């Protein structure tokens, strides 16, 4: 931008006499040429900070470009968003939020067609859920791969659970294929569907409904690239699921988060009941005995939600509620007989029952996150476990109140 010339060759901010600022009479300045770019770093305006970058050509009124999108790929039906392969701090923060159960049900993306790399008409089509963690695994593990990604509307639930709930389903695949008009974007008629989605998908009905043939991909997204490069041939281990220590422990935070709200209510009620005394109610006794009871509850939660997943392959019994009772007994004896040896016997028994009941319930919740169980098996276990847990908890409260009023 050329400087404005005046008789003294001053800068554009030179002010005429009797004016206190170059910004007081900007209307007298000649207009800038329209072709001059405001993005030039050397052409900051004479007033105010340096302006930011211009709007993206993909910006649309009322829409926000997602952080995980890295441009678009042109297709006969318009641009398709290209996903970044690298995860940033925002993705890791979202993963931490989901793993701890914070707004986990809302951690989802819009269903539809996406892509990675620079796909062509003959590039493979991968199918996944609209749970953000599922998409993050796909885009991270498909670096250096050109592919289309068809995201189904699974209500923000992962592939395996959504298949069990019939949201990752035959009808949803057919609907999304037709909605995005996939047949006009790719030249083949093949879909690579994750194997864990098989409970909700009938391959022959997908073929009949939309003309696309289903190929069952590997269990882990980290093996997708190898699977595609091998001509969609399954190698040894691609059909086998693992449940290692790390895979079990990563589920612990969300399992604890699911019981946090009811746990706070139960602990508050426990403090109130702990204050019952011969004098009707004692605040000091409520604080003292209530703290001991809360510790027993926390010990049971630790035993069921942490120890059971950690020691799962080595704990006896097939039923999870029995595994929880065992770990609850192991930790439950520490509190009344080691840490608080001055308690009455009925109070010690009460604390042990509380620890066992809470541990059993927390362990039974873990049935929904393991590859060891089935829906019918879980229902059968609940019919057996919940009455025992409820009975033990009721007896424990009776004994605890009795110990306070005696």
């Amino acid at each position: 931008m050329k400087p404005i010339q005046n008789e003294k060759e001053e800068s554009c901010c030179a002010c005429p006499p009797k004016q206190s600022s170059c910004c007081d009479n900007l209307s007298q300045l000649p207009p800038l040429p329209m072709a001059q770019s405001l993005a030039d770093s050397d052409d900051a305006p004479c007033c105010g900070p340096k302006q930011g970058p211009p709007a993206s050509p993909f910006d649309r009124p009322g829409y926000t470009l997602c952080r995980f999108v890295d441009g678009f790929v042109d297709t006969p039906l318009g641009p398709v968003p290209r996903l970044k392969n690298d995860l940033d701090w925002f993705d890791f923060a979202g993963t931490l939020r989901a793993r701890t159960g914070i707004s986990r049900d809302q951690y989802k993306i819009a269903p539809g067609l996406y892509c990675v790399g620079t796909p062509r008409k003959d590039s493979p089509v991968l199918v996944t859920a609209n749970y953000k963690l599922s998409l993050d695994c796909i885009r991270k593990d498909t670096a250096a791969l050109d592919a289309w990604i068809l995201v189904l509307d699974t209500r923000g639930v992962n592939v395996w659970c959504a298949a069990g709930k019939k949201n990752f389903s035959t009808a949803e695949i057919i609907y999304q294929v037709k909605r995005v008009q996939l047949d006009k974007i790719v030249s083949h008629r093949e879909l690579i569907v994750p194997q864990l989605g098989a409970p909700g998908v009938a391959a022959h009905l997908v073929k009949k409904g939309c003309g696309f043939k289903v190929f069952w991909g590997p269990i882990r997204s980290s093996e997708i690239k190898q699977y595609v490069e091998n001509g969609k041939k399954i190698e040894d281990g691609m059909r086998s699921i693992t449940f290692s220590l790390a895979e079990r422990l990563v589920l612990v935070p969300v399992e604890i988060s699911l019981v946090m709200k009811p746990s706070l209510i139960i602990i508050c009620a426990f403090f109130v009941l702990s204050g019952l005394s011969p004098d009707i109610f004692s605040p000091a006794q409520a604080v003292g005995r209530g703290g001991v009871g809360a510790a027993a509850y926390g010990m049971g939660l630790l035993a069921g939600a942490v120890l059971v997943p950690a020691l799962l392959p080595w704990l006896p019994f097939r039923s999870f509620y029995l595994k929880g009772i065992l770990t609850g007994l192991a930790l439950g004896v520490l509190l009344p007989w080691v840490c608080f040896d001055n308690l009455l016997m009925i109070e010690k028994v009460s604390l042990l029952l509380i620890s066992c009941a809470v541990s059993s319930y927390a362990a039974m919740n873990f049935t929904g996150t393991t590859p060891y169980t089935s829906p019918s098996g879980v229902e059968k276990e609940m019919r057996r476990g919940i009455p025992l847990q409820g009975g033990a908890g009721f007896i424990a409260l009776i004994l605890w109140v009795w110990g306070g009023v005696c």
Side-chain angles (χ1 to χ4, degrees):
M1 183 174 68
K2 294 182 179 180
I4 302 171
Q5 301 292 332
N6 60 25
E7 55 188 71
K8 294 185 179 181
E9 296 293 330
E10 295 179 348
S11 68
C12 66
C13 289
C15 305
K18 298 182 180 180
Q19 290 187 356
S20 58
S21 169
C22 66
C23 298
D24 292 341
N25 198 13
L26 291 177
S27 61
Q28 296 180 6
L29 298 176
L32 292 172
M34 294 301 294
Q36 181 66 39
S37 173
L38 291 178
D40 191 340
S41 60
D42 295 331
D43 287 351
C46 62
C47 299
K50 174 185 174 182
Q51 59 264 40
S56 166
F58 303 111
D59 286 347
R60 297 290 183 272
Y63 293 84
T64 300
L65 191 65
C66 297
R67 294 177 60 96
F68 53 83
V69 172
D70 184 22
F72 292 78
V73 171
D74 290 328
T75 71
L77 297 180
V80 171
R82 179 194 289 117
L83 301 174
K84 297 178 181 178
N85 292 119
D86 296 327
L87 306 185
D88 60 16
W89 67 267
F90 195 81
D91 298 312
F92 290 117
T95 298
L96 179 62
R97 188 189 73 183
R99 290 297 188 191
T100 53
I102 302 174
S103 300
R104 184 169 178 260
D105 295 338
Q106 301 303 316
Y107 198 50
K108 57 186 179 181
I109 64 167
L113 189 63
Y114 299 80
C115 68
V116 288
T118 309
R120 301 174 301 277
K121 287 188 175 182
D122 59 347
S123 296
V125 180
L126 311 177
V127 181
T128 189
N130 73 328
Y131 183 38
K132 178 62 165 46
L133 284 186
S134 298
L135 185 72
D136 286 347
C137 290
I138 290 287
R139 63 190 180 95
K140 175 174 64 72
D141 293 330
T142 52
L145 183 68
D146 299 325
W148 306 99
I149 299 179
L150 184 64
V151 176
L152 307 185
D153 184 6
T154 58
R155 316 302 195 270
V157 178
N158 66 74
V159 171
W160 196 6
C161 293
K165 295 175 181 292
K166 304 305 178 185
N167 290 328
F168 192 100
S169 64
T170 301
E172 177 62 15
I173 291 179
I174 295 173
Y175 170 74
Q176 292 297 340
V177 166
K178 292 182 175 180
R179 186 175 78 89
V180 304
Q181 301 181 64
L182 190 60
D183 58 328
K184 297 181 180 179
I185 296 177
V186 298
S187 58
H188 59 83
R189 297 296 179 265
E190 298 175 351
L191 300 174
I192 299 177
V193 180
Q195 183 184 328
L196 292 180
V201 178
H204 67 286
L205 294 180
V206 173
K207 174 71 173 178
K208 182 179 179 180
C210 64
F212 279 76
K213 181 180 180 180
V214 170
F215 286 81
W216 298 110
I219 288 179
R220 289 169 288 276
S221 61
S222 59
E223 297 171 336
I224 290 177
K225 186 173 182 292
Q226 179 184 356
Y227 171 77
V228 171
E229 292 176 346
N230 289 347
K232 296 188 284 293
K233 294 181 180 178
I234 291 293
E235 301 290 339
D236 293 340
M238 287 187 179
R239 291 284 189 245
S240 300
I241 193 168
T242 60
F243 202 41
S244 63
L245 177 62
E247 291 171 330
R248 297 195 300 272
L249 293 184
V250 76
L251 301 170
V252 168
V254 70
E255 291 299 317
I256 292 179
S257 71
L258 293 176
V259 298
M260 283 302 295
K261 186 175 181 179
S263 294
L264 291 175
I265 296 175
I266 293 173
I267 289 175
C268 288
F270 211 89
F271 271 95
V272 173
L273 293 176
S274 297
L276 297 178
S277 67
D279 299 326
I280 301 179
F281 189 81
S282 170
Q285 185 171 301
V287 174
R289 298 181 75 245
V292 176
Y297 187 95
M299 196 73 76
L301 190 59
L302 175 66
V306 180
L307 282 188
V308 169
L311 304 177
L312 187 61
W314 303 285
L315 290 173
F317 307 118
R318 182 178 179 84
S319 298
F320 280 69
Y321 79 94
L322 293 177
K323 294 177 185 288
I325 291 176
L326 185 62
T327 56
L329 280 171
L331 287 187
V333 297
L334 296 178
L335 198 67
W337 274 276
V338 177
C339 301
F340 300 98
D341 191 44
N342 58 336
L343 295 175
L344 298 175
M345 180 56 66
I346 59 173
E347 292 177 316
K348 293 181 178 180
V349 173
S350 173
L351 294 178
L352 184 60
L353 288 175
I354 290 173
S355 179
C356 289
V358 173
S359 177
S360 177
Y361 182 81
M364 193 174 64
N365 274 349
F366 201 70
T367 57
T369 59
T370 72
Y372 299 162
T373 56
S374 63
S376 59
V378 172
E379 292 177 3
K380 181 178 180 181
E381 181 169 345
M382 290 176 64
R383 288 195 298 268
R384 293 178 176 178
I386 290 180
L388 288 177
Q389 296 155 7
F394 179 76
I395 294 173
L397 289 179
I398 295 298
L399 292 178
W400 187 250
V401 172
W402 186 10
V405 299
C406 290

